[in-house]
Amino acid sequence: MTAFFDQLFYMKETNFSTKATVYNDVSELTKEEQRLFENAIIARNKAYAPYSKFSVGAAILLDNGTIVTGNNQENAAYPSGMCAERVAIWKAGSEFPNMVVKKVAITASSTEIKVDKPVGPCGACRQTLYEYEFNQKEPIEVIFMGETGKIIKVQSLASLLPFSFDSSHL
Ligand code: THU
């Protein structure tokens, strides 16, 4: 990071880019990723989303092959609810404290609308997932979709969070 800020001293502007791969169908993903999405869909279908009617499922692949899933858990006191991604990553972190995460697959559906465009993780979930990526020093791929439609894969949480905040700032 020091080198980057040194550069800023000499340059007025800089650009960041995020590489994203777009797939037309899950059949274009690897078998392992297809299995991850199967698990994410099962989790999504068990979401507790009576208020938004928007169900999200997340499936996390660990480097030992274990898949840990989560879904959104809403609450009558709306802000007390939680997103699928954070339910999944905290479930994984609490069960496997020294885990290395390889990939996260996310899918969303709704009983009210057609979710046919990719649903990426919200900002708070990006930050939460990034904590684990930063600690493990290995990128976590994020693959996300709606219920149908295109699928997007990005190579890391860092690529979704320019100027991210981590423990090195403390
Ligand atoms: N939601 C997630 O589970 N993950 C996201 O990344 C975005 C939003 C949930 C939260 C809430 O239960 C519902 O979707 C509508 O916002």
Side-chain angles (χ1 to χ4, degrees):
M1 233 21 196
T2 317
F4 174 76
F5 285 112
D6 285 352
Q7 275 186 335
L8 269 189
F9 184 77
Y10 298 108
M11 293 192 293
K12 283 218 163 72
E13 282 182 1
T14 188
N15 285 301
F16 288 95
S17 62
T18 299
K19 181 177 155 191
T21 311
V22 183
Y23 301 89
N24 290 306
D25 191 83
V26 277
S27 64
E28 295 171 5
L29 300 172
T30 66
K31 286 275 169 288
E32 189 178 57
E33 289 164 353
Q34 290 181 31
R35 202 163 75 87
L36 206 55
F37 267 110
E38 283 163 18
N39 281 268
I41 290 165
I42 292 169
R44 188 193 73 204
N45 292 338
K46 292 189 279 195
Y48 177 62
Y51 305 106
S52 71
K53 318 249 193 261
F54 190 83
S55 296
V56 184
I60 292 175
L61 177 67
L62 306 184
D63 72 342
N64 66 5
T66 305
I67 292 175
V68 182
T69 62
N71 51 35
N72 50 331
Q73 295 292 317
E74 297 187 347
N75 195 283
Y78 294 178
S80 300
M82 186 46 64
C83 292
E85 297 90 327
R86 276 176 284 171
V87 168
I89 194 72
W90 288 334
K91 193 169 147 192
S94 60
E95 188 74 14
F96 306 101
N98 298 309
M99 66 182 182
V100 173
V101 178
K102 303 302 273 186
K103 298 168 195 264
V104 181
I106 303 159
T107 174
S109 67
S110 166
T111 54
E112 311 301 293
I113 54 163
K114 196 163 71 152
V115 186
D116 56 5
K117 58 180 190 224
V119 174
C122 79
C125 286
R126 292 178 195 203
Q127 178 66 32
T128 303
L129 292 165
Y130 179 67
E131 177 83 9
Y132 296 83
E133 178 174 282
F134 179 79
N135 287 344
Q136 72 183 29
K137 299 183 181 65
E138 272 184 50
I140 300 173
E141 283 183 352
V142 185
I143 317 170
F144 52 95
M145 64 179 297
E147 183 178 12
T148 57
K150 293 190 191 301
I151 300 144
I152 293 179
K153 187 203 289 198
V154 297
Q155 292 173 318
S156 64
L157 267 308
S159 75
L160 291 176
L161 268 182
F163 296 112
S164 49
F165 184 76
D166 56 57
S167 56
S168 73
H169 295 101
L170 299 172

